[in-house]
C-alpha cells in the first residue's frame, strides 16, 4: 500500500525568502495567543546563533503550515498561519528589535 501525504504541497524555503515576498501573514482567531516564555525564545536564539557560529548554510527552524486565501490581482497574497505562529512571531519580533537597534 502506497503511503499518502496529508499535505497537498510542502517545500523548503529560506527565512529571508519567506519574509521577502509581497505577502500578509494572518493568525486566525482560533489560534492561541502568544505564549512563548524565555526558555522557548532562548532555544530559538541559540538555533539562530548556531547558524552564524558554525557557519551552517541550512538549519531546520521548524515547520510552518499556512493556508493561502484568495486575493484580488495586484493585492498582496494573504496566508493564514495554521502552525508555527509562535516561532514566526518570535522571529518577526527579533527582526524588529534588530531594525530598531541599528537605526
Amino acid at each position: 500500500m502506497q503511503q499518502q501525504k496529508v499535505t497537498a504541497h510542502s517545500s523548503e524555503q529560506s527565512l529571508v525568502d519567506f519574509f521577502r515576498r509581497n505577502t500578509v501573514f494572518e493568525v486566525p482567531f482560533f489560534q492561541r495567543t502568544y505564549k512563548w516564555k524565555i526558555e522557548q525564545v532562548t532555544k530559538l536564539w541559540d538555533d539562530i546563533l548556531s547558524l552564524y557560529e558554525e557557519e551552517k548554510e541550512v538549519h531546520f527552524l521548524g515547520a510552518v503550515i499556512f493556508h493561502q486565501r484568495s486575493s484580488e490581482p495586484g493585492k498582496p497574497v494573504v496566508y493564514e498561519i495554521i502552525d508555527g505562529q509562535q516561532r514566526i512571531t518570535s522571529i518577526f519580533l527579533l527582526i524588529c528589535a534588530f531594525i530598531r537597534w541599528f537605526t
Side-chain angles (χ1 to χ4, degrees):
M1 180 175 176
Q2 183 180 8
Q3 295 217 347
Q4 299 293 321
K5 287 186 176 182
V6 175
T7 57
H9 177 70
S10 66
S11 62
E12 293 181 3
Q13 193 171 84
S14 75
L15 194 58
V16 171
D17 289 340
F18 184 75
F19 284 116
R20 181 181 290 162
R21 299 178 293 175
N22 183 23
T23 57
V24 173
F25 296 98
E26 290 184 351
V27 178
F29 72 91
F30 58 81
Q31 291 287 356
R32 66 184 173 144
T33 58
Y34 187 78
K35 297 283 187 186
W36 269 22
K37 304 287 186 212
I38 191 69
E39 297 85 20
Q40 290 90 359
V41 175
T42 300
K43 172 76 171 106
L44 176 64
W45 182 246
D46 289 344
D47 284 347
I48 293 169
L49 284 180
S50 75
L51 285 167
Y52 173 74
E53 293 170 350
E54 298 173 21
E55 298 183 12
K56 291 181 180 180
E57 290 186 26
V58 176
H59 182 77
F60 181 67
L61 287 176
V64 177
I65 299 171
F66 48 88
H67 174 263
Q68 182 177 349
R69 290 198 345 223
S70 60
S71 61
E72 298 175 25
K75 300 273 183 166
V77 177
V78 177
Y79 290 100
E80 291 182 331
I81 300 174
I82 305 303
D83 187 43
Q85 170 217 355
Q86 307 289 312
R87 189 175 320 107
I88 293 299
T89 302
S90 298
I91 291 169
F92 183 76
L93 290 171
L94 282 170
I95 292 169
C96 289
F98 282 134
I99 291 170
R100 185 175 176 131
W101 178 265
F102 289 110
T103 57

